Amino acid sequence: MPRNYKSTEALLSPDPKFGSMLATKVINKIMLDGKKSTAQAIFYEALDLAHKKLPDVQDQAEIFTRAIDNIRPSVEVRSKRVGGANYQVPREVRRNRQQSLAIRWLVDNARSKKGKRMAVRLSEELVDAFNGTGASVQWKEQVHKMAEANKASEHYAH
C-alpha cells in the first residue's frame, strides 16, 4: 500500500555520541521548543545514570536499544466500523511504528513521573524497560492483552 507522504527519516542525522539513529529519535522525542542541546544533555545524563545502576552492561548504547526492544509492541488494536458497530481489530504493527510507539511510551512515561529532574526520571524508565518492568513495558503488555481479548474480531481486518 503506497503512502502519499515522504518520510522525514532521511533528514535525520545520527547522534554525535553513539552515531545511532535510534538515539536521535529518542532525543527528538525528548526535545521541547526546539532545544536539541538540552534534550541531548538530558538523554546522555539519563544514560550515565542508568549505566551506574546497570554496572554489568559494558556499552551504554546497549541500554537504550534493549530497553526499546523490550517496549516494542508486535500487535495493536485498531477501531473498525462494521454495520453500525465498532470493533477493536487486532493488527500486526509495522517495524517503524513499533519503534516510534516504544519511544513515545518511554518518554511519555518518564514525563508523567513527577518530582524529579527529567534525566533521573528517564534513567529510571530506561532501567525498568531494560529489566522488562516499569510503566512502558506494562503499557505494551496491556496493548497485547487487548489484542488477545479481541481476537474474535480478527476477521474484520482488511
Side-chain angles (χ1 to χ4, degrees):
M1 187 159 104
R3 303 279 179 205
N4 294 333
Y5 55 85
K6 287 199 170 95
S7 172
T8 57
E9 197 163 326
L11 304 173
L12 295 178
S13 55
D15 80 300
K17 190 171 180 181
F18 301 107
S20 164
M21 292 299 282
L22 182 60
T24 300
K25 290 176 185 178
V26 175
I27 289 166
N28 285 347
K29 187 66 183 164
I30 295 167
M31 181 169 55
L32 297 172
D33 299 326
K35 297 190 175 187
K36 190 163 210 151
S37 57
T38 307
Q40 284 177 332
I42 289 169
F43 180 68
Y44 295 139
E45 186 185 345
L47 275 179
D48 289 338
L49 293 168
H51 194 254
K52 286 179 183 138
K53 292 178 188 169
L54 299 165
D56 52 327
V57 181
Q58 278 79 38
D59 189 19
Q60 285 188 344
E62 188 186 335
I63 293 172
F64 68 84
T65 52
R66 279 248 307 267
I68 295 290
D69 285 341
N70 287 345
I71 301 170
R72 203 183 285 261
S74 57
V75 288
E76 66 179 342
V77 290
R78 308 291 296 263
S79 272
K80 175 98 171 146
R81 191 170 176 89
V82 178
N86 282 325
Y87 294 98
Q88 296 290 322
V89 180
R91 315 228 12 222
E92 294 249 335
V93 185
R94 291 190 326 271
R95 188 98 176 122
N96 58 347
R97 181 161 166 78
Q98 286 180 359
Q99 190 180 57
S100 59
L101 283 172
I103 292 168
R104 184 184 315 156
W105 294 342
L106 180 78
V107 174
D108 288 353
N109 284 319
R111 275 210 181 106
S112 66
K113 295 178 178 178
K114 293 292 176 198
K116 296 176 189 163
R117 291 185 359 257
M118 182 60 184
V120 175
R121 294 180 292 184
L122 185 61
S123 74
E124 288 172 357
E125 197 59 43
L126 279 167
V127 170
D128 287 346
F130 182 87
N131 293 326
T133 60
S136 302
V137 178
Q138 285 176 343
W139 199 274
K140 172 189 117 171
E141 288 167 358
Q142 199 175 353
V143 167
H144 280 206
K145 279 182 196 162
M146 288 222 350
E148 186 64 37
N150 289 296
K151 247 190 162 42
S153 308
E154 210 166 26
H155 62 282
Y156 289 121
H158 307 16

